[in-house]
PDB file of all heavy atoms in Angstrom:
ATOM      1  N   PHE A  33     -16.261   5.579  18.873  1.00  0.00           N
ATOM      2  CA  PHE A  33     -14.937   4.972  18.243  1.00  0.00           C
ATOM      3  C   PHE A  33     -13.831   6.103  18.298  1.00  0.00           C
ATOM      4  O   PHE A  33     -14.176   7.310  18.365  1.00  0.00           O
ATOM      5  CB  PHE A  33     -15.131   4.540  16.775  1.00  0.00           C
ATOM      6  CG  PHE A  33     -15.430   5.671  15.855  1.00  0.00           C
ATOM      7  CD1 PHE A  33     -14.500   6.272  15.153  1.00  0.00           C
ATOM      8  CD2 PHE A  33     -16.781   6.005  15.627  1.00  0.00           C
ATOM      9  CE1 PHE A  33     -14.810   7.315  14.231  1.00  0.00           C
ATOM     10  CE2 PHE A  33     -17.182   7.090  14.670  1.00  0.00           C
ATOM     11  CZ  PHE A  33     -16.068   7.637  13.958  1.00  0.00           C
ATOM     12  N   GLU A  41      -1.654  14.774  11.421  1.00  0.00           N
ATOM     13  CA  GLU A  41      -2.767  15.229  10.522  1.00  0.00           C
ATOM     14  C   GLU A  41      -3.142  13.836   9.835  1.00  0.00           C
ATOM     15  O   GLU A  41      -2.541  12.861   9.768  1.00  0.00           O
ATOM     16  CB  GLU A  41      -2.252  16.127   9.471  1.00  0.00           C
ATOM     17  CG  GLU A  41      -3.182  16.711   8.443  1.00  0.00           C
ATOM     18  CD  GLU A  41      -4.346  17.318   9.063  1.00  0.00           C
ATOM     19  OE1 GLU A  41      -5.378  16.504   9.422  1.00  0.00           O
ATOM     20  OE2 GLU A  41      -4.395  18.601   9.354  1.00  0.00           O
ATOM     21  N   TYR A  65     -13.284   8.118  -2.820  1.00  0.00           N
ATOM     22  CA  TYR A  65     -14.163   7.299  -2.142  1.00  0.00           C
ATOM     23  C   TYR A  65     -15.468   7.447  -2.954  1.00  0.00           C
ATOM     24  O   TYR A  65     -15.815   8.472  -3.533  1.00  0.00           O
ATOM     25  CB  TYR A  65     -14.514   7.824  -0.732  1.00  0.00           C
ATOM     26  CG  TYR A  65     -13.285   7.777   0.314  1.00  0.00           C
ATOM     27  CD1 TYR A  65     -12.717   8.984   0.619  1.00  0.00           C
ATOM     28  CD2 TYR A  65     -12.905   6.688   0.682  1.00  0.00           C
ATOM     29  CE1 TYR A  65     -11.593   8.980   1.384  1.00  0.00           C
ATOM     30  CE2 TYR A  65     -11.682   6.576   1.603  1.00  0.00           C
ATOM     31  CZ  TYR A  65     -11.092   7.787   1.938  1.00  0.00           C
ATOM     32  OH  TYR A  65     -10.101   7.849   2.812  1.00  0.00           O
ATOM     33  N   GLY A 115     -11.060  -9.848  29.895  1.00  0.00           N
ATOM     34  CA  GLY A 115     -12.017  -8.710  29.699  1.00  0.00           C
ATOM     35  C   GLY A 115     -12.804  -8.724  28.306  1.00  0.00           C
ATOM     36  O   GLY A 115     -13.789  -8.268  28.224  1.00  0.00           O
ATOM     37  N   GLY A 125       2.922   6.756  25.815  1.00  0.00           N
ATOM     38  CA  GLY A 125       1.575   7.189  26.277  1.00  0.00           C
ATOM     39  C   GLY A 125       0.822   6.078  26.950  1.00  0.00           C
ATOM     40  O   GLY A 125       1.185   5.026  27.208  1.00  0.00           O
ATOM     41  N   VAL A 127      -2.172   3.267  27.816  1.00  0.00           N
ATOM     42  CA  VAL A 127      -2.793   2.192  27.064  1.00  0.00           C
ATOM     43  C   VAL A 127      -4.284   2.513  26.683  1.00  0.00           C
ATOM     44  O   VAL A 127      -4.969   2.973  27.614  1.00  0.00           O
ATOM     45  CB  VAL A 127      -2.682   0.886  27.960  1.00  0.00           C
ATOM     46  CG1 VAL A 127      -3.391  -0.240  27.193  1.00  0.00           C
ATOM     47  CG2 VAL A 127      -1.363   0.452  28.206  1.00  0.00           C
ATOM     48  N   ALA A 136      -6.004  -0.034  10.182  1.00  0.00           N
ATOM     49  CA  ALA A 136      -6.035   0.697   8.869  1.00  0.00           C
ATOM     50  C   ALA A 136      -4.618   1.244   8.578  1.00  0.00           C
ATOM     51  O   ALA A 136      -4.491   2.337   8.114  1.00  0.00           O
ATOM     52  CB  ALA A 136      -7.049   1.746   8.851  1.00  0.00           C
ATOM     53  N   THR A 163      10.027  10.233   2.811  1.00  0.00           N
ATOM     54  CA  THR A 163       9.171  10.494   3.886  1.00  0.00           C
ATOM     55  C   THR A 163       9.560  11.564   4.836  1.00  0.00           C
ATOM     56  O   THR A 163       8.955  11.845   5.878  1.00  0.00           O
ATOM     57  CB  THR A 163       9.043   9.206   4.639  1.00  0.00           C
ATOM     58  OG1 THR A 163      10.291   8.670   5.123  1.00  0.00           O
ATOM     59  CG2 THR A 163       8.227   8.084   3.803  1.00  0.00           C
ATOM     60  N   HIS A 167      12.449  20.619   2.720  1.00  0.00           N
ATOM     61  CA  HIS A 167      12.248  21.586   1.510  1.00  0.00           C
ATOM     62  C   HIS A 167      13.056  22.883   1.750  1.00  0.00           C
ATOM     63  O   HIS A 167      13.078  23.684   0.807  1.00  0.00           O
ATOM     64  CB  HIS A 167      10.768  21.943   1.340  1.00  0.00           C
ATOM     65  CG  HIS A 167       9.839  20.777   0.855  1.00  0.00           C
ATOM     66  ND1 HIS A 167       9.774  20.537  -0.396  1.00  0.00           N
ATOM     67  CD2 HIS A 167       9.258  19.793   1.558  1.00  0.00           C
ATOM     68  CE1 HIS A 167       9.124  19.394  -0.588  1.00  0.00           C
ATOM     69  NE2 HIS A 167       8.671  18.909   0.680  1.00  0.00           N
ATOM     70  N   ASP A 170      18.344  24.021   0.128  1.00  0.00           N
ATOM     71  CA  ASP A 170      18.425  24.451  -1.251  1.00  0.00           C
ATOM     72  C   ASP A 170      19.465  23.479  -1.983  1.00  0.00           C
ATOM     73  O   ASP A 170      20.653  23.433  -1.718  1.00  0.00           O
ATOM     74  CB  ASP A 170      18.927  25.841  -1.384  1.00  0.00           C
ATOM     75  CG  ASP A 170      18.968  26.400  -2.789  1.00  0.00           C
ATOM     76  OD1 ASP A 170      18.510  25.500  -3.641  1.00  0.00           O
ATOM     77  OD2 ASP A 170      19.397  27.469  -3.071  1.00  0.00           O
ATOM     78  N   THR A 205      17.646  -2.346 -10.341  1.00  0.00           N
ATOM     79  CA  THR A 205      16.856  -2.901 -11.264  1.00  0.00           C
ATOM     80  C   THR A 205      16.158  -1.825 -12.057  1.00  0.00           C
ATOM     81  O   THR A 205      15.538  -0.934 -11.473  1.00  0.00           O
ATOM     82  CB  THR A 205      15.722  -3.802 -10.539  1.00  0.00           C
ATOM     83  OG1 THR A 205      16.427  -4.655  -9.660  1.00  0.00           O
ATOM     84  CG2 THR A 205      14.936  -4.538 -11.588  1.00  0.00           C
ATOM     85  N   GLN A 231     -18.973  10.013 -12.902  1.00  0.00           N
ATOM     86  CA  GLN A 231     -17.720   9.345 -12.325  1.00  0.00           C
ATOM     87  C   GLN A 231     -17.904   7.942 -11.934  1.00  0.00           C
ATOM     88  O   GLN A 231     -16.982   7.130 -12.172  1.00  0.00           O
ATOM     89  CB  GLN A 231     -17.238  10.299 -11.113  1.00  0.00           C
ATOM     90  CG  GLN A 231     -16.791  11.653 -11.440  1.00  0.00           C
ATOM     91  CD  GLN A 231     -15.998  12.190 -10.308  1.00  0.00           C
ATOM     92  OE1 GLN A 231     -14.837  11.975 -10.229  1.00  0.00           O
ATOM     93  NE2 GLN A 231     -16.458  13.238  -9.553  1.00  0.00           N
ATOM     94  N   ALA A 271       8.282  -3.992 -27.295  1.00  0.00           N
ATOM     95  CA  ALA A 271       7.651  -2.756 -27.526  1.00  0.00           C
ATOM     96  C   ALA A 271       8.326  -1.667 -26.644  1.00  0.00           C
ATOM     97  O   ALA A 271       8.540  -0.546 -27.175  1.00  0.00           O
ATOM     98  CB  ALA A 271       6.258  -2.694 -27.345  1.00  0.00           C
ATOM     99  N   GLU A 287      20.044   0.959 -22.936  1.00  0.00           N
ATOM    100  CA  GLU A 287      20.151  -0.443 -22.773  1.00  0.00           C
ATOM    101  C   GLU A 287      19.923  -0.768 -21.254  1.00  0.00           C
ATOM    102  O   GLU A 287      19.200  -1.800 -20.892  1.00  0.00           O
ATOM    103  CB  GLU A 287      21.331  -0.968 -23.256  1.00  0.00           C
ATOM    104  CG  GLU A 287      21.602  -2.435 -23.268  1.00  0.00           C
ATOM    105  CD  GLU A 287      20.499  -3.211 -23.988  1.00  0.00           C
ATOM    106  OE1 GLU A 287      20.173  -2.786 -24.995  1.00  0.00           O
ATOM    107  OE2 GLU A 287      20.192  -4.365 -23.619  1.00  0.00           O
ATOM    108  N   PRO A 291      14.103  -2.986 -18.980  1.00  0.00           N
ATOM    109  CA  PRO A 291      13.888  -4.168 -18.196  1.00  0.00           C
ATOM    110  C   PRO A 291      13.866  -5.403 -18.981  1.00  0.00           C
ATOM    111  O   PRO A 291      13.517  -5.478 -20.153  1.00  0.00           O
ATOM    112  CB  PRO A 291      12.417  -4.024 -17.469  1.00  0.00           C
ATOM    113  CG  PRO A 291      12.035  -2.571 -17.772  1.00  0.00           C
ATOM    114  CD  PRO A 291      12.853  -2.175 -18.971  1.00  0.00           C
ATOM    115  N   ASP A 313      22.645  16.634 -19.629  1.00  0.00           N
ATOM    116  CA  ASP A 313      24.065  16.635 -19.433  1.00  0.00           C
ATOM    117  C   ASP A 313      24.466  16.316 -18.095  1.00  0.00           C
ATOM    118  O   ASP A 313      25.591  15.816 -17.752  1.00  0.00           O
ATOM    119  CB  ASP A 313      24.911  17.755 -19.994  1.00  0.00           C
ATOM    120  CG  ASP A 313      24.745  17.897 -21.463  1.00  0.00           C
ATOM    121  OD1 ASP A 313      24.525  16.875 -22.254  1.00  0.00           O
ATOM    122  OD2 ASP A 313      24.754  19.106 -22.064  1.00  0.00           O
ATOM    123  N   ILE A 322      26.649  -1.159  -5.310  1.00  0.00           N
ATOM    124  CA  ILE A 322      27.210  -0.194  -4.336  1.00  0.00           C
ATOM    125  C   ILE A 322      28.015  -1.055  -3.339  1.00  0.00           C
ATOM    126  O   ILE A 322      27.467  -1.910  -2.886  1.00  0.00           O
ATOM    127  CB  ILE A 322      26.189   0.625  -3.604  1.00  0.00           C
ATOM    128  CG1 ILE A 322      25.505   1.613  -4.639  1.00  0.00           C
ATOM    129  CG2 ILE A 322      26.807   1.493  -2.476  1.00  0.00           C
ATOM    130  CD1 ILE A 322      24.435   2.409  -4.128  1.00  0.00           C
ATOM    131  N   ARG A 359       6.358  -7.747  13.462  1.00  0.00           N
ATOM    132  CA  ARG A 359       7.398  -8.077  14.534  1.00  0.00           C
ATOM    133  C   ARG A 359       6.733  -9.040  15.673  1.00  0.00           C
ATOM    134  O   ARG A 359       5.653  -8.766  16.072  1.00  0.00           O
ATOM    135  CB  ARG A 359       7.748  -6.853  15.189  1.00  0.00           C
ATOM    136  CG  ARG A 359       8.291  -5.700  14.182  1.00  0.00           C
ATOM    137  CD  ARG A 359       9.657  -6.138  13.565  1.00  0.00           C
ATOM    138  NE  ARG A 359      10.166  -4.842  12.932  1.00  0.00           N
ATOM    139  CZ  ARG A 359      10.079  -4.526  11.675  1.00  0.00           C
ATOM    140  NH1 ARG A 359       9.394  -5.265  10.725  1.00  0.00           N
ATOM    141  NH2 ARG A 359      10.761  -3.450  11.168  1.00  0.00           N
ATOM    142  N   VAL A 364      -0.725  -9.620  19.559  1.00  0.00           N
ATOM    143  CA  VAL A 364      -0.827 -10.896  20.390  1.00  0.00           C
ATOM    144  C   VAL A 364      -2.397 -11.071  20.665  1.00  0.00           C
ATOM    145  O   VAL A 364      -3.048 -10.166  21.256  1.00  0.00           O
ATOM    146  CB  VAL A 364      -0.109 -10.803  21.652  1.00  0.00           C
ATOM    147  CG1 VAL A 364      -0.304 -12.180  22.366  1.00  0.00           C
ATOM    148  CG2 VAL A 364       1.318 -10.699  21.419  1.00  0.00           C
ATOM    149  N   ASP A 370       0.411 -15.282  18.412  1.00  0.00           N
ATOM    150  CA  ASP A 370       1.342 -14.229  17.959  1.00  0.00           C
ATOM    151  C   ASP A 370       1.124 -14.187  16.467  1.00  0.00           C
ATOM    152  O   ASP A 370       1.541 -15.089  15.724  1.00  0.00           O
ATOM    153  CB  ASP A 370       2.640 -14.460  18.335  1.00  0.00           C
ATOM    154  CG  ASP A 370       3.706 -13.330  18.053  1.00  0.00           C
ATOM    155  OD1 ASP A 370       3.706 -12.837  16.943  1.00  0.00           O
ATOM    156  OD2 ASP A 370       4.288 -12.866  19.002  1.00  0.00           O
ATOM    157  N   ARG A 421     -19.839  -4.602   9.309  1.00  0.00           N
ATOM    158  CA  ARG A 421     -21.000  -5.551   9.272  1.00  0.00           C
ATOM    159  C   ARG A 421     -20.814  -6.613  10.348  1.00  0.00           C
ATOM    160  O   ARG A 421     -21.708  -6.987  11.033  1.00  0.00           O
ATOM    161  CB  ARG A 421     -20.975  -6.435   7.808  1.00  0.00           C
ATOM    162  CG  ARG A 421     -22.163  -7.288   7.713  1.00  0.00           C
ATOM    163  CD  ARG A 421     -22.212  -7.769   6.304  1.00  0.00           C
ATOM    164  NE  ARG A 421     -23.330  -8.632   6.043  1.00  0.00           N
ATOM    165  CZ  ARG A 421     -23.345  -9.974   5.732  1.00  0.00           C
ATOM    166  NH1 ARG A 421     -22.268 -10.588   5.586  1.00  0.00           N
ATOM    167  NH2 ARG A 421     -24.520 -10.590   5.581  1.00  0.00           N
ATOM    168  N   GLU A 425     -23.350  -7.085  13.553  1.00  0.00           N
ATOM    169  CA  GLU A 425     -23.869  -8.404  13.793  1.00  0.00           C
ATOM    170  C   GLU A 425     -23.730  -8.879  15.261  1.00  0.00           C
ATOM    171  O   GLU A 425     -24.550  -9.372  15.919  1.00  0.00           O
ATOM    172  CB  GLU A 425     -23.419  -9.403  12.714  1.00  0.00           C
ATOM    173  CG  GLU A 425     -24.026 -10.849  12.876  1.00  0.00           C
ATOM    174  CD  GLU A 425     -25.492 -10.940  12.611  1.00  0.00           C
ATOM    175  OE1 GLU A 425     -25.992  -9.862  12.111  1.00  0.00           O
ATOM    176  OE2 GLU A 425     -26.098 -11.844  12.946  1.00  0.00           O
ATOM    177  N   ALA A 432     -20.488  -9.994  22.632  1.00  0.00           N
ATOM    178  CA  ALA A 432     -19.267  -8.907  22.896  1.00  0.00           C
ATOM    179  C   ALA A 432     -18.161  -9.379  21.985  1.00  0.00           C
ATOM    180  O   ALA A 432     -17.241  -8.498  21.845  1.00  0.00           O
ATOM    181  CB  ALA A 432     -19.069  -8.678  24.238  1.00  0.00           C
ATOM    182  N   ILE A 436     -13.429 -15.193  13.624  1.00  0.00           N
ATOM    183  CA  ILE A 436     -13.723 -16.002  12.526  1.00  0.00           C
ATOM    184  C   ILE A 436     -13.323 -17.513  12.861  1.00  0.00           C
ATOM    185  O   ILE A 436     -12.487 -17.764  13.598  1.00  0.00           O
ATOM    186  CB  ILE A 436     -12.738 -15.553  11.232  1.00  0.00           C
ATOM    187  CG1 ILE A 436     -13.232 -16.316   9.987  1.00  0.00           C
ATOM    188  CG2 ILE A 436     -11.205 -15.854  11.584  1.00  0.00           C
ATOM    189  CD1 ILE A 436     -14.540 -15.818   9.457  1.00  0.00           C
ATOM    190  N   ALA A 441     -11.828 -19.951   8.001  1.00  0.00           N
ATOM    191  CA  ALA A 441     -10.595 -19.197   7.479  1.00  0.00           C
ATOM    192  C   ALA A 441      -9.723 -20.184   6.659  1.00  0.00           C
ATOM    193  O   ALA A 441      -9.088 -19.894   5.648  1.00  0.00           O
ATOM    194  CB  ALA A 441      -9.802 -18.790   8.702  1.00  0.00           C
ATOM    195  N   GLY A 491     -17.644 -10.794  -1.536  1.00  0.00           N
ATOM    196  CA  GLY A 491     -17.112 -11.616  -0.407  1.00  0.00           C
ATOM    197  C   GLY A 491     -17.157 -10.897   0.829  1.00  0.00           C
ATOM    198  O   GLY A 491     -17.384 -11.381   1.963  1.00  0.00           O
ATOM    199  N   ALA A 511     -19.939  -5.570  30.296  1.00  0.00           N
ATOM    200  CA  ALA A 511     -20.131  -5.564  28.762  1.00  0.00           C
ATOM    201  C   ALA A 511     -19.986  -4.291  28.308  1.00  0.00           C
ATOM    202  O   ALA A 511     -20.370  -3.301  28.958  1.00  0.00           O
ATOM    203  CB  ALA A 511     -21.378  -6.260  28.334  1.00  0.00           C
TER     204      ALA A 511
END
Side-chain angles (χ1 to χ4, degrees):
F33 67 91
E41 184 53 271
Y65 301 107
V127 174
T163 53
H167 291 274
D170 186 7
T205 308
Q231 291 196 75
E287 181 65 28
D313 292 336
I322 296 174
R359 309 289 198 266
V364 180
D370 191 307
R421 184 171 185 243
E425 181 66 13
I436 193 66

